[in-house]
Amino acid sequence: MRKKIVAGNWKMNKSFQEAEELIEDLLDLMEDNALENPEMVICTPFPYLELATDMTDESLISVGAQNVSEHESGAYTGEVSASMLNSIGLNYCIVGHSERRKYFNESSQLLKEKVDVLLNHNIQPIFCCGELIEEREKEIHFDIVKTQITESLFHLNKEAFENVVIAYEPVWAIGTGVTATAGQAQEMHAFIRNLIKEQYGEETANNISILYGGSCNAKNARELFANPDVDGGLIGGASLKADDFYHIYKSF
Ligand code: PEP
């Protein structure tokens, strides 16, 4: 069954104490109102992951990382492996966020390796894709997203692919306050689902969660999530405030 997911990408924000407070506030809000569908996920910075997994242990909140090394283990100073993430009980990891593609030059080939290493350690990749504003203006946004997905995901067999979550995040909407319209989001999500159908068949296409990301907030979430192919959101700025994030989680 296709899962609805609202995932928060905290990026490089919050002190340890602030992280603890935010998780506490979310747990309070969730106390009597937690649902299995949608699933709430928080993707915290690395130093707070264990705190987050401990604090949310008995709740319906899942925890994810924002990055992973493509290597299994060894002399890679500063890196964090998928087996380490698995050993603290993580369920998800964001891969291919546009900030990592841009500032850390992450290529489709590298992202493919990161997807593989995560799946090998039973962590679901939240794979981000999306076009730049110039690419939309040139009307090549469908080609861009198709290439990103094909190059980093379509080597997977059907069983492995079914563990991937896709997040469509038009780069021009991330952190800008400019959201894709509900129509633009639905159009791209339906396109992505159709790509999956061509590659893996209708059943797999219907089972994959495709999230929208890019200035999604407490005001516009309901309209975006009402689209038949939008299965939730990857939320940046608005995930840093418990009330806003909880409101988005309740917007189905
Ligand atoms: C993101 O960084 O994944 C994101 C969607 O950010 P924001 O919600 O702040 O646009």
Side-chain angles (χ1 to χ4, degrees):
M1 194 192 81
R2 196 192 307 177
K3 219 197 282 181
K4 303 220 182 271
I5 299 171
V6 175
N9 174 14
W10 291 12
K11 310 195 192 193
M12 198 171 71
N13 291 297
K14 303 271 178 206
S15 67
F16 187 87
Q17 290 72 20
E18 288 166 346
E20 201 170 16
E21 273 167 35
L22 176 50
I23 298 168
E24 246 161 38
D25 290 347
L26 287 172
L27 288 168
D28 283 349
L29 288 165
M30 292 282 276
E31 203 170 33
D32 300 319
N33 293 297
L35 305 166
E36 275 181 41
N37 197 17
E39 180 175 8
M40 181 186 281
V41 182
I42 50 173
C43 299
T44 79
F46 283 134
Y48 314 149
L49 285 173
E50 203 188 346
L51 169 83
T53 52
D54 284 351
M55 287 181 75
T56 58
D57 200 27
E58 310 229 309
S59 77
L60 284 173
I61 302 178
S62 296
V63 181
Q66 299 172 19
N67 188 28
V68 67
S69 168
E70 70 277 24
H71 301 291
E72 279 291 341
S73 67
Y76 299 101
T77 303
E79 291 292 274
V80 174
S81 71
S83 71
M84 293 173 185
L85 299 180
N86 171 286
S87 71
I88 59 163
L90 291 203
N91 307 91
Y92 293 99
C93 181
I94 298 171
V95 176
H97 192 281
S98 64
E99 289 152 14
R100 295 215 57 91
R101 291 177 192 262
K102 181 175 173 191
Y103 302 126
F104 303 94
N105 297 318
E106 293 197 351
S107 64
S108 288
Q109 174 59 33
L110 178 78
L111 299 176
K112 177 180 174 191
E113 291 169 27
K114 291 190 176 200
V115 165
D116 287 344
V117 84
L118 287 169
L119 290 172
N120 286 340
H121 290 279
N122 298 318
I123 297 171
Q124 289 190 254
I126 301 178
F127 179 82
C128 303
C129 55
E131 78 285 355
L132 305 169
I133 189 64
E134 307 87 88
E135 292 164 341
R136 182 164 277 266
E137 281 165 4
K138 280 194 220 148
E139 297 183 8
I140 56 168
H141 45 297
F142 292 113
D143 297 336
I144 297 293
V145 168
K146 179 175 180 182
T147 303
Q148 290 170 337
I149 290 179
T150 306
E151 289 184 349
S152 300
L153 296 179
F154 279 0
H155 63 289
L156 296 170
N157 65 31
K158 190 170 156 144
E159 201 190 353
F161 184 81
E162 288 193 353
N163 290 309
V164 174
V165 173
I166 293 183
Y168 169 57
E169 299 208 304
V171 181
W172 45 271
I174 297 180
T176 58
V178 180
T179 318
T181 64
Q184 285 170 325
Q186 169 56 25
E187 189 184 30
M188 183 58 86
H189 284 226
F191 172 79
I192 294 170
R193 203 174 302 285
N194 194 49
L195 282 181
I196 300 168
K197 181 174 155 194
E198 283 169 8
Q199 182 74 10
Y200 296 104
E202 188 150 16
E203 199 186 338
T204 302
N206 282 334
N207 284 339
I208 294 291
S209 303
I210 308 177
L211 315 183
Y212 168 79
S215 297
C216 181
N217 58 39
K219 290 205 181 98
N220 59 29
R222 189 169 292 280
E223 196 188 349
L224 286 160
F225 297 173
N227 286 299
D229 288 299
V230 177
D231 305 310
L234 180 57
I235 318 296
S239 71
L240 298 172
K241 288 193 189 138
D243 286 340
D244 287 356
F245 189 52
Y246 180 73
H247 191 100
I248 296 170
Y249 166 77
K250 286 291 201 180
S251 295
F252 285 94

